[in-house]
Amino acid sequence: MIKITNPIQKGFYPDPSICRVGDDYYMVHSTFAYAPGIPVFQSCDLKNWILIGHVLERKEQLRLAGASVSKGIYAPTIRYHKGLFYVISTNVSGGGNFYVTAEDPKGPWSDPVFLTAAQGIDPSLYFEEDACYYIGQRTKEHPAYYGDCEIWIQELDLKEKRLVNKPVVLFDGSMKRTIWAEGPHLYRIGQMYYLILAEGGTEFNHSVTVARSKNLYGPYESCPNNPILTHRHLGRTNPVQCIGHGDLVETTGGEWFMVMLGTRPLNGCAELGRETFLADVIWEDGWPVISPGLGKVPECLETSVTDNEQKVLLPASDIEWTEPLDMRCIGLRDHPASLPAKMADGRLHLPFLPETMEDLSVPAYIGIRLLSRTFDIQVTMESEPNGTEEAGLLYFYNETHYVKAVVREREGRLEAVTVIRKGNEREEWSRTEVAGSIHQIRLRGQGQILTVEIDKQITGQPLDIKDLCSQKAGGFTGCTVGVYASAVHEASGRSAVFGPLHAEFAD
């Protein structure tokens, strides 16, 4: 037996979808306006997950120009059928619902096939023999209230690459006035079809529900035990909240599990974003029971492993500036490898690009996901900014909620500056004794307090960063942190030079 501790994916890895091929499991997640889009993880034991690639890496695949941070790529689903992997998702900022394919989940993945007739978001695919079906979510034609949605099905002709025949509504929720019936996944298990979906919205009232039918097109009956999983009844002080958006998987040994998203808030704020959790599943009276005997996501659970399943060693925390770029690196609206940056001798030459936080251009930013509230992020920077140039580390939630720890020039002198912005509130501390061209920049997180050090001196007072999250700032992402350079609206042709990014996260 192997012991698994939740969450199985820490940090900003929401909307999980999973499939098994042979002895291996593959999982994907939403990425919104971050690039590359849709990470692909592989595991042999449901515990140790290794990043093997991304679905959307090329400009032809990822249309994010002008997208705010919480737009872009929503809720992918991964499936495997007759030698081909499929990922279907929604780009709410550029084209709508689409699917891509690959023979190898590491890639390369095909260019997107956009299904212009497909309404709504959160699509899924269901295969039966040679037929493929699109399972979607959409607002009703005549909604009675905000969030009045339905789940629908339509055949997808993979040769013609379009939806054919007529759509059929399957289900509109398990309760009266259900809001945001979404995230549908359809399975045939035994002689029944099962529809797993999310209800209640992806916040405190989130939940997993299920309906079943003897026929593909229904009618579908709601499980009398719905919701089959939620944490809303546990109250706002429970350490794990917002549980929902589940996807089922069966192991080679016949065990069933569900992956789902959830948050771990502190003081009502979840800066890490929506993370991925795992729960065991049994079947009673033809219905799935999640976490039997517990009724909530467990802190730990066990599963059987086969003799050939080995523990996967996680990669080192440090980000070395190499080509190809470390797969954990992400950028905003475009692949960070597409920036006019250079990497040589383990150092990153990051240009001072013209941008501001308020506009939606692509900044010179290469970040990683925040995986814990206790962290130590350090980098050595070689730069003497002048004019409007500034460079350093950025702790980022969205365009109006962030912390910058940078070196810049003002009135002919270099100064170390810490800026925290929370919406319209902007506070700044500066120190003018910075000298030379080599600077040590460090961000240390403890709980929801951030301490900034530049050249081994604390810059400003410790910062309360709990408001840098979806609960306070809106949106759907988690925080990221990384190296940053800006020239505001002036392109200087110069670059800031960074050494390896040291990232240490406590459990």
Side-chain angles (χ1 to χ4, degrees), residues 67-86:
S68 61
V69 170
S70 284
K71 296 294 185 179
I73 304 300
Y74 282 21
T77 294
I78 186 169
R79 294 293 184 257
Y80 179 80
H81 181 67
K82 293 187 175 181
L84 209 57
F85 287 88
Y86 293 78

Side-chain angles (χ1 to χ4, degrees), residues 150-463:
E150 61 191 14
I151 307 301
W152 59 285
I153 185 172
Q154 190 169 358
E155 189 173 353
L156 173 59
D157 189 320
L158 295 174
K159 292 183 179 179
E160 295 290 331
K161 299 181 179 180
R162 63 185 181 91
L163 297 175
V164 296
N165 302 323
K166 292 183 179 181
V168 175
V169 175
L170 300 183
F171 196 60
D172 66 353
S174 64
M175 294 179 288
K176 292 181 179 179
R177 298 182 67 84
T178 291
I179 64 167
W180 301 119
E182 58 189 0
H185 294 121
L186 185 66
Y187 322 82
R188 185 170 186 177
I189 302 170
Q191 300 302 310
M192 302 291 288
Y193 294 91
Y194 290 88
L195 179 65
I196 297 285
L197 65 151
E199 296 181 20
T202 186
E203 296 180 335
F204 180 74
N205 289 316
H206 211 197
S207 64
V208 179
T209 64
V210 61
R212 71 182 182 186
S213 174
K214 294 180 180 179
N215 301 302
L216 176 62
Y217 289 103
Y220 281 78
E221 62 170 321
S222 178
C223 177
N225 302 322
N226 275 327
I228 56 172
L229 184 64
T230 186
H231 277 204
R232 61 194 180 204
H233 64 294
L234 300 177
R236 296 185 182 274
T237 60
N238 194 68
V240 177
Q241 299 179 20
C242 306
I243 288 292
H245 200 102
D247 198 7
L248 287 169
V249 68
E250 184 182 14
T251 70
T252 55
E255 297 175 293
W256 286 88
F257 292 89
M258 177 180 283
V259 292
M260 74 288 292
L261 69 82
T263 63
R264 293 182 291 161
L266 179 64
N267 299 316
C269 300
E271 316 92 278
L272 302 180
R274 297 172 301 159
E275 305 174 286
T276 292
F277 294 76
L278 182 74
D280 52 323
V281 180
I282 64 170
W283 296 85
E284 291 184 349
D285 302 323
W287 294 107
V289 177
I290 316 298
S291 290
L294 183 64
K296 63 179 182 178
V297 172
E299 293 183 11
C300 298
L301 65 159
E302 291 184 340
T303 180
S304 301
V305 294
T306 59
D307 293 339
N308 64 343
E309 291 175 330
Q310 302 294 324
K311 181 175 180 180
V312 177
L313 296 178
L314 297 178
S317 296
D318 287 1
I319 301 295
E320 304 286 347
W321 305 118
T322 58
E323 294 183 356
L325 191 62
D326 191 303
M327 283 192 291
R328 291 169 293 168
C329 292
I330 52 178
L332 286 166
R333 305 175 194 94
D334 208 351
H335 198 302
S338 68
L339 288 170
K342 297 180 180 179
M343 286 174 281
D345 301 322
R347 300 194 301 171
L348 171 70
H349 297 251
L350 192 63
F352 294 103
L353 290 184
E355 61 89 17
T356 64
M357 283 294 175
E358 286 73 18
D359 70 26
L360 296 178
S361 60
V362 178
Y365 172 62
I366 301 178
I368 57 175
R369 289 167 172 83
L370 195 70
L371 303 182
S372 169
R373 290 189 176 93
T374 302
F375 60 89
D376 190 339
I377 311 291
Q378 301 181 51
V379 74
T380 298
M381 181 184 74
E382 184 177 336
S383 178
E384 292 187 59
N386 58 48
T388 62
E389 296 173 347
E390 62 182 24
L393 288 177
L394 177 67
Y395 178 100
F396 184 78
Y397 176 69
N398 67 14
E399 296 89 348
T400 58
H401 292 75
Y402 55 82
V403 176
K404 294 191 295 186
V406 297
V407 174
R408 70 184 186 192
E409 180 203 29
R410 289 296 182 269
E411 298 179 353
R413 296 183 297 178
L414 289 180
E415 60 181 15
V417 182
T418 300
V419 177
I420 182 169
R421 180 172 178 183
K422 302 177 182 178
N424 294 325
E425 298 179 12
R426 186 177 186 275
E427 299 179 66
E428 180 176 304
W429 291 270
S430 64
R431 178 171 59 84
T432 58
E433 292 86 2
V434 175
S437 61
I438 299 178
H439 307 285
Q440 304 287 332
I441 303 177
R442 184 180 188 185
L443 301 180
R444 288 183 297 155
Q446 186 67 48
Q448 294 173 322
I449 301 298
L450 180 69
T451 301
V452 178
E453 293 182 11
I454 299 181
D455 293 347
K456 299 183 179 181
Q457 296 188 48
I458 294 177
T459 302
Q461 65 187 38
L463 304 174

